[in-house]
Structures are given as C-alpha cells and as structure tokens.
Amino acid sequence: VRYKILTVDDSKTVRIIVRKAFKNYDCEILEAGNGVEGLAVAAKESPDLILLDVTMPVMDGVEMLTRVKSDPQLKAIPVIMLTAEGGRDNVLRIAKIGVRDYLVKPFREEVLLAKVGRIIDLKPLTDQPIPAKSIFDPADLLVVEDKPAIITQIEVGLKDTPWKVHGASTQGEALDFCATTPPDLILISLSLPEAAAFSLFRVLRASVKSKYTPIFALAVKTETGQQQQAQTLGFSALITKPIDMTELEAKISKAMNLNTSERYFKIEPEFLLMRLPANCPSPVLAEVAHYLKPKISEAVDAGLARMIIDIHEFQNLPLGVIKLLLQAMQTCRDVTLQFALVGNAQIIAECKTFEDTRNWPFYNSITEAKTHLATKAVAPPLAPV
Amino acid sequence: VPAPTEITPTLLRENINRAVGDVFQTMLGLVPNLVDVTELPPRHDRIPLPEVSPGGRTPLVVGTVGFLGEINGLTSLYLDETFARLSTGQILGMTATELINAGDERVNDAVGEITNMTVGRFKNGLCEAGFPGILTTPSVLRGRNFSIEPTSSTARYVDDFASPRHQVAVDILLSTTD
C-alpha cells in the first residue's frame, strides 16, 4: 500500500520541505495551496493523512478542517496541523474540531517524520528490489551493552569483516548515536539495568528511522525468561552469551540481507571461479548451494564458458562437500559450461579411490586448469550419481 | 495566561529575539545574535540594513506579516538579496544554479515563509503573555533604497540581528490606538 499524504499550505516553500522530508519513504505527496483546493484533492484522492496550515487565503485551515470533520467521506482522515499558529487559545479551539496532532513552525524534519510515522506506517522507499549489499560492504553495528568487555569481544570477533562496531553503555547513549549515525544493525544486551533493553527496543521501533533496523537481543544462555520476553517483543534474532562469533556473523549477514556469494564465487575475465574454504560446515554448504545456480547463470549470461572449482584448501572431502561438488558439476553440464577442479595431492589421491569421484578433472593450480580448459571444446563427461 | 498589562520594549525584544533565534537555527542552521535595538519615535523613517546596503544600493527582499487581536501591528524581516538566496537554498536544499532556474518567485516565497514562521513564533509569545491574536498571510517586497514611514499612531522598534556573515533587520510596527 502506497500511502498518500496531502499537504495543504499556501507556501510552496513548506510544500517543498514536506515533499523533501518524505522523499525516501514509500508515500505519495499531494499538494494544495488553500482550503478549497485541499477539500477538492481530499475528495478525489482520499489521502491517508492531511498536513494542514491555518493561515491561508481563499479558505483557511480552520474552515477546511471543520468541513473535513463534518463530511462523512472525509472525517476519518487523520489531520496534523502544521502551522505557525501556536497561541494556546487558538490551538485548543482547533484541537476541539478534531486533529490527530499539532506541529508548530518552525519544525525539524525528523519531528515531522516522527509524528507522521505514529499515524501511518512509513516504509523506506524501494522502487525496485534493492540489490543486496555485499558481505564486503561496510556497515555500522551498534552494541548497547554496559559491560565494555563484551563490546570489545564483538569488535575483535568481527575484525575480519568490513563492519564497524560502535559501543553504547546506556539507552541515552544509544539513542544519541542513532540520531546522528543510524546504524545498520543494533545488538542490545538484555542485562542492561532496569529492563532498559526492552524500553530501548520500543523507542527504536517507534522511530521512523529505526523501525526496520534489525535489532538483536544479547542474552545469557540461562536467562530464558528474558529471551522469551525478547522474542515476544519482536527482536529480530537472539544471540546467547558466550557469543559464538561464527553464528553472530552468519545471523548479521542474514538479517542485513547481505549477498555473501562473493565469498565463494568470483567472475574472472575468462572463467567463473568457485572457491570453497577449508572449513565448510552445513550452513556454509547451504549458502554455497543457494548461490550455485544463480552464479553459474550469471557467468553464462556474461558470456563465460568455463568454471574452475578450487578445493585445494581441503585436507579431506566430507560427504556434504562431495554432494555439493557433484551438484555443481551437473549444473555446469546442464548449461554446457566447461569445468575443472583444482586440488592438492592428498585430495586428488583421495578422489581417485572412490567410484563417484575417480574421473574428476583435477589440476594442480588455477593457471594449469585455465590452460587446459582453453584447449577443450566440450565439458568432460560426468559419472552418473 | 497572565492578564494583559502593557506591551513593553523588553517583552517585544525577548519575544522577537527568541523567534528569530528559533527560526533561523531550526530552518537554516544559523545562530543570529541581537546586535542592536532601536526604539524609534513615531513618524521616524529608517532605511534598514545600512551596513549591508550602503547608500541603499544593495537590493533587499522584505517579508511582512501582520498580527491582529489584543494588539495590532506589522512585522517585517529585511534580508539583503544575497542572504535571501542563501537562505532559500538552505531551507529547500537547492543549489545556486537550481535557484536561478527556479526564479525570484521561489526566493520570495521562502522569505515569506521565514517571515511567517518568525512572526508566528513572536505572536505566539505575545499570546502567552496575555495578548492573543491571529496572523495574516505574508507579503513580500523587493527593492532598494526604500523605507517605511509609519503613521503617528504607531510605535516602532527595529532590531538588528547578525550571524558571522549576514544581517537581518526586524521592523516591528505596533498600532497604539484601540
């Protein structure tokens, strides 16, 4: 649903300021220069919200508000007064007619967004599906924790990522940070004094700017009551202490919808390179399998006809890796992509001992594999699985 | 709301000082300071901004908004054209080129709105002090080497504000008749 906001103000300047304030949100801004125009636009467009000035020519805001509230078709539309008229008696008189909120000029953009955000669900603008950020892109993570050692532990644990870890020890510090540097993800310790984690979560979710920011709860494994409360409130994920950094990194990547394919796939000028790390637990295998077909399609689309699978880091091949490699080779055959593998002596020898892997086309280096593929015309035959 | 007593220069100065500060800081990110206060006798004209408009040669953009109620009057903001353009660009997030393409109307409208906000804040302060009233819509004048000559039944206060690089004069005319 794309929300419609009608701004009724005789000042084009104010209408431009309003339009600018909402430019990053998925809503349509309608404009009118006085009450008569405002009523006409409201009747035609049925906006979800009206921002209304008071002092205007032709028909002022008080008159328009009175007519809106007496019209069965329009009276349900919430109205926020946005006006320089802030005298107590006048405000009370206008409030009695029926307004949802009142904002006196001059006003800050974030205050306007916050007031509107309390009435309609402002969502950041996404014209098209936003291309997922890469695992190699920088991001700001805010850790709200009153124990500095935990913040340091997270900072050290994520030092190989491009993410910057910022620490805050209180709710106030966290809110100040968010006001100046909206973070990409927030981790809040549930052990903050006076249940501050939950009140901070509510404040962040009520703010337009952090409404959709992933917020993780940091909890001691045995504190199940707190964990349940966090899940009920709607924390995006739960991280238990002591923190498993691999799990944390994986959950952060998922919550931020990061494209992690570049860890395993690289499109070189003449071939697609798939490289598996020495440690390939199930989540990593699942991640590689998830990207396998799209990356091969992308390579074919880019005009490539060769793929090199580099598994030289392995000391032995677990069954899960063998299955993944068979899947990769079959996908290559499906799109007639030539492929070769790069392994070490131990892996090559191990593969020779099994029926399913005996014929895998191994080479000792990427250069060797590349040279060999360049001389071949068709993909090598694959033993039936 | 306190019972209305009388409009004093101190009450006016405090309110206009707060209004100019709030509007310029919130909308333009500037912190202007009150540098000069002049209470002028009736029928005394004064060319505003003599420092930035020597001999009245620099073009000015002047926004005016009236207030009606327990007290009646007009308040004008005088900006030299350069500052008016700069303020418009700041408040609307427009570049100098975009402003040129948008034309003088855009600058006039922005000065009108800055005046509306300033006089609104000023008037609201007077309301809280026991002098309720309402605002008129803004009007904007452009020109150089001109001054307003009030009638004999008008009290006039001119307050000059300055930020490090710019000046604004606020001209308050109050009707002294019932």
Side-chain angles (χ1 to χ4, degrees):
Chain A
V1 178
R2 189 152 205 244
Y3 290 104
K4 292 178 182 175
I5 299 173
L6 169 59
T7 169
V8 187
D9 201 304
D10 58 326
S11 165
K12 192 166 177 60
T13 298
V14 171
R15 302 200 305 264
I16 292 173
I17 292 171
V18 169
R19 187 174 283 283
K20 193 160 67 78
F22 291 97
K23 73 174 191 297
N24 293 326
Y25 294 91
D26 188 18
C27 53
E28 182 183 356
I29 303 297
L30 310 167
E31 294 184 29
N34 58 57
V36 171
E37 286 178 15
L39 285 170
V41 177
K44 187 180 172 204
E45 300 283 349
S46 298
D48 300 284
L49 178 71
I50 298 174
L51 298 172
L52 184 56
D53 187 20
V54 170
T55 309
M56 293 183 288
V58 185
M59 180 191 287
D60 69 16
V62 178
E63 176 71 19
M64 176 176 162
L65 177 65
T66 307
R67 294 196 186 201
V68 166
K69 291 302 165 191
S70 59
D71 184 330
Q73 302 297 318
L74 304 178
K75 68 180 181 185
I77 301 172
V79 177
I80 295 179
M81 302 307 295
L82 179 57
T83 172
E85 179 54 75
R88 185 173 171 274
D89 292 346
N90 291 334
V91 171
L92 287 174
R93 183 169 57 90
I94 292 165
K96 275 184 188 168
I97 305 171
V99 296
R100 189 66 73 88
D101 214 329
Y102 206 106
L103 183 54
V104 179
K105 300 171 184 172
F107 60 97
R108 291 191 188 281
E109 188 179 296
E110 55 267 30
V111 177
L112 174 64
L113 287 171
K115 284 183 182 288
V116 170
R118 282 200 278 270
I119 297 173
I120 60 176
D121 184 19
L122 282 177
K123 288 187 175 154
L125 188 61
T126 50
D127 284 345
Q128 302 292 328
I130 295 175
K133 283 176 83 176
S134 159
I135 190 77
F136 299 118
D137 288 336
D140 288 302
L141 313 182
L142 174 64
V143 182
V144 191
E145 167 66 81
D146 58 345
K147 297 167 194 70
I150 299 287
I151 297 175
T152 307
Q153 188 190 348
I154 294 173
E155 202 168 10
V156 172
L158 299 177
K159 71 177 190 319
D160 293 332
T161 71
W163 307 331
K164 187 166 184 190
V165 175
H166 307 268
S169 59
T170 64
Q171 177 170 342
E173 271 183 37
L175 291 173
D176 285 348
F177 181 86
C178 290
T180 54
T181 318
D184 298 286
L185 186 138
I186 303 167
L187 294 102
I188 306 176
S189 170
L190 300 187
S191 58
L192 288 177
E194 297 169 358
F198 301 113
S199 57
L200 175 59
F201 178 85
R202 289 191 189 94
V203 172
L204 290 168
R205 279 291 175 258
S207 162
V208 171
K209 286 191 174 170
S210 53
K211 188 183 274 187
Y212 297 101
T213 305
I215 302 178
F216 287 11
L218 277 173
V220 178
K221 203 168 257 178
T222 50
E223 293 284 356
T224 51
Q226 281 186 337
Q227 293 177 31
Q228 278 175 1
Q229 194 178 348
Q231 281 173 334
T232 308
L233 261 180
F235 275 80
S236 315
L238 191 67
I239 302 293
T240 53
K241 301 178 196 173
I243 300 168
D244 176 337
M245 286 301 163
T246 309
E247 180 202 8
L248 176 62
E249 191 182 329
K251 284 190 173 178
I252 291 174
S253 301
K254 192 176 174 194
M256 294 202 298
N257 192 26
L258 297 182
N259 179 359
T260 54
S261 68
E262 290 168 42
R263 271 182 179 155
Y264 318 109
F265 296 91
K266 190 174 181 190
I267 294 185
E268 299 284 3
E270 294 171 34
F271 59 93
L272 170 67
L273 176 64
M274 171 175 150
R275 176 175 280 150
L276 296 183
N279 181 24
C280 264
S282 301
V284 171
L285 291 174
E287 208 168 46
V288 178
H290 170 73
Y291 289 117
L292 186 60
K293 282 189 179 178
K295 293 307 288 188
I296 288 178
S297 297
E298 188 183 331
V300 171
D301 265 357
L304 298 181
R306 301 176 185 104
M307 176 172 171
I308 295 174
I309 302 168
D310 183 359
I311 55 170
H312 83 275
E313 288 184 20
F314 284 94
Q315 296 305 307
N316 56 62
L317 285 184
L319 188 59
V321 175
I322 294 174
K323 282 184 177 172
L324 175 68
L325 293 174
L326 287 170
Q327 185 189 347
M329 289 181 232
Q330 184 59 49
T331 308
C332 286
R333 287 186 57 79
D334 289 345
V335 293
T336 50
L337 198 68
Q338 295 174 29
F339 64 88
L341 290 94
V342 174
N344 57 45
Q346 192 177 336
I347 288 296
I348 294 172
E350 186 184 332
C351 286
K352 294 287 181 202
T353 61
F354 295 104
E355 181 63 31
D356 288 346
T357 57
R358 183 168 296 155
N359 296 323
W360 284 5
F362 271 111
Y363 297 92
N364 292 315
S365 69
I366 289 177
T367 310
E368 197 181 307
K370 199 172 111 182
T371 309
H372 181 80
L373 284 175
T375 62
K376 294 193 68 168
V378 291
L382 186 69
V385 181
Chain B
V1 178
T5 51
E6 60 175 331
I7 294 283
T8 63
T10 305
L11 179 67
L12 293 173
R13 191 176 311 135
E14 283 175 359
N15 274 293
I16 198 63
N17 200 5
R18 195 178 302 128
V20 172
D22 279 358
V23 173
F24 279 74
Q25 192 165 5
T26 305
M27 306 307 291
L28 305 174
L30 291 173
V31 186
N33 295 308
L34 184 63
V35 292
D36 189 27
V37 179
T38 317
E39 186 177 349
L40 299 168
R43 301 195 65 80
H44 184 96
D45 64 342
R46 175 188 189 271
I47 296 173
L49 297 178
E51 298 84 356
V52 293
S53 183
R57 288 189 297 274
T58 304
L60 299 175
V61 184
V62 183
T64 303
V65 169
F67 43 93
L68 308 165
E70 286 291 325
I71 51 168
N72 300 316
L74 286 174
T75 299
S76 301
L77 259 64
Y78 288 72
L79 285 73
D80 68 88
E81 196 192 24
T82 306
F83 187 35
R85 286 197 162 273
L86 195 76
S87 302
T88 306
Q90 182 75 20
I91 201 169
L92 297 178
M94 294 171 77
T95 64
T97 310
E98 286 170 336
L99 272 177
I100 289 168
N101 293 336
D104 289 342
E105 285 301 323
R106 187 61 50 84
V107 177
N108 281 13
D109 193 78
V111 170
E113 188 52 36
I114 291 168
T115 310
N116 180 48
M117 290 181 185
T118 307
V119 182
R121 185 78 177 80
F122 171 66
K123 192 270 311 179
N124 295 336
L126 295 183
C127 285
E128 300 310 314
F131 303 94
I134 57 170
L135 297 171
T136 67
T137 53
S139 57
V140 176
L141 288 173
R142 277 174 171 266
R144 62 189 83 198
N145 198 23
F146 68 89
S147 66
I148 294 169
E149 184 176 316
T151 62
S152 59
S153 58
T154 303
R156 188 172 193 191
Y157 305 86
V158 177
D159 292 358
D160 294 321
F161 293 84
S163 67
R165 294 176 57 191
H166 302 284
Q167 288 187 308
V168 180
V170 182
D171 191 357
I172 303 169
L173 303 174
L174 287 183
S175 170
T176 54
T177 55
D178 290 336

